[in-house]
Amino acid sequence: MMFTQPFLALLLLATNANASPLIHRATSRSISIPVARRVNATGARDILKFDQARAKAFKNRTPQVHHTSPSAAQAAFGVPVTNQAVDYAMTVGVGSPPNPFTLLVDTGSSNTWVGAQQTNPFVVTSTSQDTGNLVEVTYGSGFVFGEQFIDQLTIGDVVIENQSLGAALLSEGFDGVDGIIGIGPTDLTSGKLPFDHIVAEPDALCIPTVTDNAFTQGLIDEDLVGIAFAPTNSLSDTNGEIIFGGVDDSKFTGDIHFVPITSTSPANEFVGIDQSIAYGAASTPILSTTAGITDTGTTLTLIATDALAAYQTATGAVQDSDTGLLRLTPDQFNNLESLFFTIGSETFEFTPNAQIWPRALNTAIGGTSDFVYLIVNDIGSASGEGLDFIDGMTFLERFFAVFDSTNSQFGIATTQFTNATSN
Ligand SMILES: *[C@@H]1O[C@H](CO)[C@@H](O)[C@H](O)[C@H]1NC(C)=O
Ligand SMILES: *[C@@H]1O[C@H](CO)[C@@H](O)[C@H](O)[C@H]1NC(C)=O
Ligand SMILES: *[C@@H]1O[C@H](CO)[C@@H](O)[C@H](O)[C@H]1NC(C)=O
């Protein structure tokens, strides 16, 4: 739903008192960096399995515990599994001269890791300071164990100094990438130094993210990240962009609509929002207003089990055992209607084409051209648990998103791809 200009002007006037702070444009100080989407042509049959494991890890994350014993800290802070079926990666240089690493872009975690591949290990350079700390992060089925360094990070042509990062000594579950750049909430880093006994202040356990440091060092104007992805029907396509510190006017249409990060746990520990979902012209309820998250590390758009049942009833979709996804016949697809995601006071249309896996890539997920596969699936638990949906990359590729750490808010806008029929 789009407001008319006069109405929008009125609305802006009316809400001026708590208007969103000015968001700087990409022309002011910000860092734009391309992001590639890569579909694993041999492993993509497991998209749902990876996404559900990640969702489970998000939900099981124990609430923040400070001043905990080393072993308890280690157990308490698992963060999600990575998806080896589809990934979104950017290149970051570490050290001086910078050594390039391909890192998963992850708003669902906040630590930065490199050196997961034995062929491209972390190398100590003149800017590397070994802190002597050991770091362990578990990612559901994967983990990284390594040494904490403070080093220089080069993103695009901008150099961020004194970034804490993990240099992997041992890791599992990171095929084809060198690590992760965690750009989620800073609080997610707490407790990731289980062997550090000298930390006195609870907050000292939090490690500034790349975005935090770029902001503190005056390299960007706002402690926020703009996220622009686009749908693609290629296995590999560098069609995304992450903007540290600003937004890119050319990547969205209309206004960015901001909502506060949800107060509901555990979604509030991530880039969590409140949202409801309805289906079609009849506004059939799928999910009533509830908390969930947006996440660049999840491929599908996952909703609570009961919501998925309502979606299946509305669409006639059935489970497909070859892909693990829901599927429609081409005839059913012709009758598929839009989903409507209401976030704050705004409703965003998610078209039939947005709801399907790119048909050109059906065989990559073990499907056939006889069916149309849906990217909406089951989060693996019933609604009412404080994390009832994940708006994953298949959702984010239709909208421009902003994760604004400073003001604890999430922004969303339509783009030229919102209604695209690329799939
Ligand atoms: C692709 O998936 C296969 C099967 O799951 C896995 O063995 C392989 O490591 C994956 N490759 C990448 C680059 O993730
Ligand atoms: C990085 O750390 C060094 C040593 O602590 C300090 O001298 C320098 O000012 C820091 N640089 C920035 C940009 O904060
Ligand atoms: C998408 O299509 C709908 C229905 O035709 C229209 O109302 C809406 O303005 C379009 N949105 C964008 C961003 O183009």
Side-chain angles (χ1 to χ4, degrees):
M1 178 184 73
M2 302 298 292
F3 289 123
T4 59
Q5 285 305 324
F7 183 73
L8 192 64
L10 266 178
L11 193 73
L12 285 175
L13 272 177
T15 58
N16 204 31
N18 25 352
S20 303
L22 180 69
I23 298 296
H24 291 269
R25 305 291 152 172
T27 46
S28 52
R29 279 173 309 173
S30 64
I31 312 167
S32 294
I33 191 85
V35 176
R37 179 178 99 163
R38 306 179 307 176
V39 177
N40 178 349
T42 55
R45 293 169 192 229
D46 292 327
I47 299 178
L48 180 63
K49 192 184 84 180
F50 284 121
D51 276 357
Q52 284 181 338
R54 185 172 165 90
K56 196 172 172 192
F58 278 135
K59 293 182 79 161
N60 292 347
R61 190 170 185 279
T62 316
Q64 308 278 319
V65 187
H66 294 296
H67 287 308
T68 180
S69 74
S71 57
Q74 232 179 312
F77 296 96
V79 281
V81 65
T82 57
N83 194 324
Q84 291 167 67
V86 185
D87 67 37
Y88 296 84
M90 61 182 265
T91 304
V92 168
V94 177
S96 177
N99 294 306
F101 293 100
T102 301
L103 306 182
L104 295 176
V105 173
D106 189 6
T107 57
S109 67
S110 301
N111 289 84
T112 293
W113 281 97
V114 302
Q117 299 303 315
Q118 282 177 355
T119 49
N120 190 23
F122 172 79
V123 178
V124 173
T125 67
S126 61
T127 53
S128 314
Q129 306 165 46
D130 191 340
T131 66
N133 289 319
L134 294 173
V135 195
E136 172 162 351
V137 184
T138 54
Y139 288 86
S141 67
F143 72 94
V144 186
F145 176 74
E147 235 171 320
Q148 187 205 19
F149 279 85
I150 305 288
D151 211 335
Q152 178 172 300
L153 225 71
T154 304
I155 300 183
D157 52 10
V158 176
V159 175
I160 300 165
E161 286 179 43
N162 299 343
Q163 176 64 45
S164 163
L165 55 89
L169 294 169
L170 259 181
S171 69
E172 202 176 280
F174 293 86
D175 292 313
V177 288
D178 294 308
I180 293 181
I181 178 164
I183 53 174
T186 313
D187 283 354
L188 283 175
T189 61
S190 62
K192 296 289 163 39
L193 295 176
F195 304 108
D196 185 353
H197 300 285
I198 48 175
V199 173
E201 292 299 314
D203 285 348
L205 278 166
C206 288
I207 302 165
T209 64
V210 172
T211 328
D212 295 338
N213 277 331
F215 177 62
T216 313
Q217 292 170 26
L219 303 169
I220 60 177
D221 284 329
E222 298 265 5
D223 194 351
L224 60 80
V225 193
I227 301 169
F229 292 111
T232 176
N233 51 28
S234 305
L235 281 175
S236 181
D237 195 345
T238 305
N239 65 347
E241 184 184 54
I242 293 282
I243 309 130
F244 292 92
V247 301
D248 182 342
D249 279 328
S250 70
K251 301 285 180 183
F252 60 94
T253 51
D255 293 294
I256 302 177
H257 177 72
F258 284 92
V259 289
I261 295 299
T262 183
S263 55
T264 305
S265 174
N268 60 357
E269 292 178 42
F270 304 95
V271 185
I273 56 171
D274 295 314
Q275 159 183 291
S276 67
I277 307 175
Y279 176 81
S283 287
T284 306
I286 300 293
L287 187 64
S288 53
T289 307
T290 187
I293 66 169
T294 63
D295 178 34
T296 59
T298 299
T299 302
L300 302 172
T301 295
L302 301 179
I303 57 177
T305 306
D306 43 317
L308 192 76
Y311 179 65
Q312 269 191 264
T313 304
T315 60
V318 296
Q319 278 292 342
D320 178 74
S321 54
D322 291 333
T323 60
L325 303 186
L326 291 180
R327 69 166 198 232
L328 297 174
T329 63
D331 276 352
Q332 284 175 312
F333 174 58
N334 289 337
N335 294 320
L336 188 66
E337 294 186 75
S338 292
L339 282 170
F340 295 91
F341 288 65
T342 300
I343 299 171
S345 59
E346 200 84 359
T347 296
F348 295 90
E349 182 170 358
F350 195 61
T351 66
N353 194 268
Q355 294 168 51
I356 68 171
W357 177 255
R359 281 168 284 183
L361 300 179
N362 276 359
T363 52
I365 54 169
T368 75
S369 55
D370 296 339
F371 297 110
V372 180
Y373 302 93
L374 296 166
I375 54 80
V376 179
N377 214 301
D378 186 358
I379 203 169
S381 50
S383 58
E385 296 191 358
L387 205 164
D388 294 339
F389 60 85
I390 300 181
D391 293 345
M393 291 303 297
T394 45
F395 178 85
L396 292 172
E397 68 189 21
R398 297 289 172 156
F399 301 98
F400 184 81
V402 180
F403 171 46
D404 178 358
S405 246
T406 308
N407 303 297
S408 228
Q409 59 180 355
F410 172 77
I412 176 169
T414 55
T415 75
Q416 58 178 304
F417 302 108
T418 299
N419 288 346
T421 54
S422 50
N423 292 345

